[in-house]
Amino acid sequence: MSDYRYDVIIIGTGAGGGTLAYHLAPSGKRILILERGDYVPREKANWDPKIVNVEGHYNTKESWLDKDGKDLHPHTNYYVGGNTKFYGAALFRLRKEDFSELRHHGGISPEWPISYDELESYYTQAENLYQVHGNRGEDPTEPSASSPYPWPAVSHEPRIQQLSDDFAHAGLKPFHVPVGVMLDEKNPHKSRCIRCGTCDGFSCLVGAKSDAQVVCVDEAIKHPNVTLLTNSLVKKLETGPSGHEVKSVVVERNGRVEAYSADIVVVSCGAINSAALLLRSANDKHPHGLANNSDVVGRNYMGHTNSVLMAVSKCPNPTIFQKTLGVNDYYFGSSDWQYPMGHISFVGKLDAITLRAGAPAIAPNFTLELMAQHSLDFWLTSEDLPDPNNRVTIGRDGKIVLSYTPNNLEAHERLQAKLKHAMKQTNCAMHGHECHQGLFGRNLYVGQRIPLAGVAHQNGTIRFGHDPKTSALDVNCKAHDVNNLYVVDGSFFPSSAAVNPALTIMANALRVGDHLLDQLGAATVAKEHQLVGAGD
Ligand SMILES: Cc1cc2nc3c(=O)[nH]c(=O)nc-3n(C[C@H](O)[C@H](O)[C@H](O)COP(=O)(O)OP(=O)(O)OC[C@H]3O[C@@H](n4cnc5c(N)ncnc54)[C@H](O)[C@@H]3O)c2cc1C
Ligand code: SF4
């Protein structure tokens, strides 16, 4: 075990861990960041749909098990920056109502222990940090915000603008999706982002996506007090004799086992791996897993009910950057259905190569090339509800077991029906109302065909709350049972809401970061340095 003691160890560099590292770095405290992966190599393959989507080149090769003991190849990535390296960078705030109890058709979405207002200023900070482009006031469900988006919305390309106009004409309130890309449309010659067609699901070859590596980790390690160790897989957390403190972080690095220690240990491995790490760290004082007196660690796994629906039109869709339009009119229900349905937006433009690997339904008279050239590729998200039986456990051979039975499905079916109906309202000057030939459900997880493998929106496995009997973390995301252990990734969510999770994970990491700076007696130093940095 190394004699050197850190003030803080952060495990994982994604939306949670990367953002926290950035926030704590100016404090001068000795910070060690442990990341199991390496940097995503910068290579032409970053933007190659066959290599990325069909071959799954950058996905982990790890295999997990589902509840029936069948192999599960998770669509997840272990790199500096975590899954934000590959995300679509749609950076939404949860709705204010998502923080309260909400009745769904499938059951109750529980209240959070903090209100939207308590997170609001951190959402603003996160939007500034991740350079979110958006227009306030367009989205009918958007919560109030204390400041405008730092950048104007990414504009729609003509086909998407036409769809937006059609939806508005039909009485909907389409809006520009808030996205974290470093696009400067006013000064295109200076813009770092080139508005390409390989963003959502791809790593950005030119470093213009606001991901946790580019925005946070690269900045954090400029501080001499911050050390990043890559290829460092944390295997276990060991406690001291009392069981109240993590004494040692056991790491496998370069084929060797090493141990590190710190006053504060922050786990941010993603909701599934963080739960797995705590469960694997069971000991005499914590027989059911570290910080798991409540028996909630690993339980209440949520990942959203997501689907991709392709609307194939007679009119072509030559859009390059498609992820600009959203519809939240059905988020909380509609005049004919009182329950929440969810959120509609877009995935990156699908191409024939990607479709070839995963498309089940091909329209008559359409080749895959034609289908890709004519499709609008919608992304639909509905809330899945916390169910203690939907859970992460560790199998006898040490593998992660992800048991999940979908719920609240009628909400999603109704959302799909609403979109199909809305598409029928759209018109086309050339082809009239029949322009849209149909909507096709498609398995996004190409080559794997296991919907559970799509763990992109994983959350909820180490929920926070006031009551140590029903939650593993307190409101500051500190383990109820362990004094120096925190969790800042997507696992703290008590409910999943129905918008993408990353901005909430980032905002919460900033909130927990402020608490940690107080604990370390470093709040003032960090603030001063952040102000200096802001003026640079
Ligand atoms: C293709 C794709 C598209 C997406 N699009 C969007 C989007 O548009 N908007 C949105 O909000 N969200 C999106 N998401 C989801 C978003 O990326 C995640 O919500 C977010 O990254 C989760 O942050 P996290 O900190 O919980 O975990 P992660 O970002 O997954 O970070 C976890 C980190 O921990 C590391 N790690 C894991 N285990 C260990 C260990 N034992 N030891 C050391 N290190 C470890 C991992 O390598 C990783 O770096 C998308 C995800 C994917 C895959
Ligand atoms: S250049 Fe822009 S659109 Fe292309 S991957 Fe990078 S951030 Fe995304």
Side-chain angles (χ1 to χ4, degrees):
M1 174 152 161
S2 157
D3 290 340
Y4 194 82
R5 190 169 168 89
Y6 291 89
D7 294 304
V8 183
I9 291 177
I10 300 172
I11 308 166
T13 56
T19 308
L20 180 70
Y22 174 88
H23 198 57
L24 299 187
S27 68
K29 294 290 170 185
R30 291 158 304 177
I31 299 167
L32 174 65
I33 310 171
L34 296 167
E35 167 55 53
R36 71 184 290 170
D38 210 326
Y39 286 89
V40 178
R42 286 190 69 207
E43 54 197 5
K44 267 177 83 175
N46 290 171
W47 279 351
D48 186 322
K50 181 164 173 284
I51 293 174
V52 174
N53 286 335
V54 181
E55 295 169 11
H57 179 71
Y58 297 103
N59 291 352
T60 176
K61 303 298 173 279
E62 207 174 49
S63 92
W64 301 345
L65 298 171
D66 69 9
K67 64 181 175 192
D68 300 318
K70 292 205 190 91
D71 268 348
L72 184 68
H73 295 282
H75 185 182
T76 194
N77 311 278
Y78 299 142
Y79 290 100
V80 178
N83 280 293
T84 68
K85 285 306 293 176
F86 295 87
Y87 75 167
L91 291 174
F92 282 94
R93 298 177 178 215
L94 298 196
R95 319 292 88 173
K96 189 178 173 80
E97 297 84 343
D98 287 324
F99 291 79
S100 310
E101 182 176 295
L102 271 178
R103 180 166 290 280
H104 283 248
H105 181 261
I108 296 290
S109 168
E111 185 181 35
W112 285 40
I114 58 170
S115 66
Y116 170 75
D117 293 340
E118 284 167 86
L119 205 54
E120 198 285 327
S121 66
Y122 296 105
Y123 272 129
T124 300
Q125 284 179 46
E127 285 168 349
N128 286 328
L129 180 57
Y130 282 86
Q131 304 181 33
V132 182
H133 292 50
N135 286 346
R136 293 253 191 260
E138 291 179 347
D139 176 350
T141 62
E142 183 184 66
S144 63
S146 52
S147 60
Y149 283 109
W151 285 86
V154 176
S155 64
H156 298 315
E157 289 172 49
R159 180 71 185 90
I160 303 299
Q161 184 61 54
Q162 181 201 334
L163 183 71
S164 176
D165 295 344
D166 284 349
F167 279 169
H169 197 248
L172 297 175
K173 296 190 178 62
F175 60 90
H176 289 82
V177 166
V179 269
V181 290
M182 300 173 193
L183 180 68
D184 185 349
E185 295 193 70
K186 286 210 181 104
N187 299 291
H189 58 294
K190 285 191 190 157
S191 177
R192 197 159 154 182
C193 166
I194 58 164
R195 194 180 181 131
C196 72
T198 45
C199 194
D200 192 4
F202 297 80
S203 171
C204 181
L205 185 49
V206 294
K209 193 193 286 191
S210 298
D211 64 50
Q213 178 228 314
V214 170
V215 171
C216 290
V217 180
D218 288 357
E219 295 304 310
I221 59 175
K222 287 180 183 164
H223 293 260
N225 52 304
V226 180
T227 306
L228 167 68
L229 295 182
T230 56
N231 299 303
S232 299
L233 173 67
V234 175
K235 303 283 283 183
K236 204 174 170 194
L237 306 178
E238 290 177 345
T239 57
S242 73
H244 295 318
E245 212 188 347
V246 175
K247 282 282 184 209
S248 168
V249 176
V250 181
V251 180
E252 194 178 273
R253 195 166 79 93
N254 301 327
R256 286 178 32 207
V257 176
E258 301 173 350
Y260 296 90
S261 64
D263 292 346
I264 291 172
V265 174
V266 185
V267 173
S268 43
C269 303
I272 294 172
N273 275 294
S274 284
L277 177 61
L278 297 193
L279 294 172
R280 286 180 178 132
S281 301
N283 61 29
D284 290 355
K285 301 280 180 203
H286 299 270
H288 307 296
L290 191 57
N292 195 20
N293 277 342
S294 59
D295 190 30
V296 302
V297 171
R299 293 189 186 270
N300 303 300
Y301 168 79
M302 294 169 280
H304 286 153
T305 303
N306 292 312
S307 62
V308 172
L309 282 181
M310 300 176 66
V312 184
S313 312
K314 286 179 190 157
C315 279
N317 176 18
T319 306
I320 295 169
F321 188 90
Q322 186 175 239
K323 212 173 163 112
T324 58
L325 177 74
V327 173
N328 273 341
D329 293 74
Y330 311 114
Y331 196 89
F332 294 116
S334 62
S335 55
D336 57 351
W337 210 58
Q338 59 177 313
Y339 300 108
M341 281 175 261
H343 160 76
I344 299 171
S345 59
F346 276 90
V347 285
K349 185 73 203 79
L350 293 174
D351 54 45
I353 295 170
T354 307
L355 286 182
R356 188 156 289 119
I362 300 175
N365 308 322
F366 270 96
T367 61
L368 286 175
E369 277 76 13
L370 266 176
M371 198 169 159
Q373 284 160 15
H374 289 251
S375 64
L376 290 157
D377 317 290
F378 290 98
W379 172 256
L380 286 81
T381 298
S382 301
E383 181 162 349
D384 57 342
L385 302 169
D387 172 351
N389 296 317
N390 285 344
R391 62 188 296 204
V392 176
T393 50
I394 305 298
R396 258 175 295 167
D397 54 0
K399 272 191 184 178
I400 289 176
V401 182
L402 183 59
S403 307
Y404 184 76
T405 306
N407 60 43
N408 201 26
L409 289 181
E410 189 165 343
H412 200 66
E413 283 154 23
R414 295 223 175 215
L415 186 65
Q416 291 177 336
K418 286 289 181 196
L419 175 58
K420 289 177 191 175
H421 180 75
M423 290 304 290
K424 282 201 183 123
Q425 314 297 305
T426 62
N427 208 347
C428 159
M430 204 182 300
H431 301 113
H433 283 292
E434 293 305 310
C435 181
H436 290 285
Q437 298 206 333
L439 291 167
F440 301 90
R442 175 181 160 269
N443 181 356
L444 184 62
Y445 304 104
V446 284
Q448 295 163 14
R449 296 180 187 276
I450 307 164
L452 184 60
V455 293
H457 288 189
Q458 57 183 278
N459 68 85
T461 52
I462 315 176
R463 53 160 55 169
F464 77 153
H466 294 294
D467 185 351
K469 290 200 187 77
T470 55
S471 57
L473 307 174
D474 70 12
V475 284
N476 294 316
C477 290
K478 185 189 84 61
H480 287 298
D481 310 338
V482 183
N483 294 331
N484 66 340
L485 175 64
Y486 288 78
V487 182
V488 297
D489 52 29
S491 36
F492 78 100
F493 283 34
S495 70
S496 69
V499 285
N500 313 51
L503 189 75
T504 301
I505 299 170
M506 294 157 179
N508 184 61
L510 295 172
R511 182 184 73 93
V512 175
D514 270 358
H515 165 80
L516 291 177
L517 289 171
D518 277 344
Q519 297 294 301
L520 293 161
T524 319
V525 185
K527 284 233 159 59
E528 277 165 10
H529 278 79
Q530 272 157 5
L531 285 178
V532 173
D536 281 351

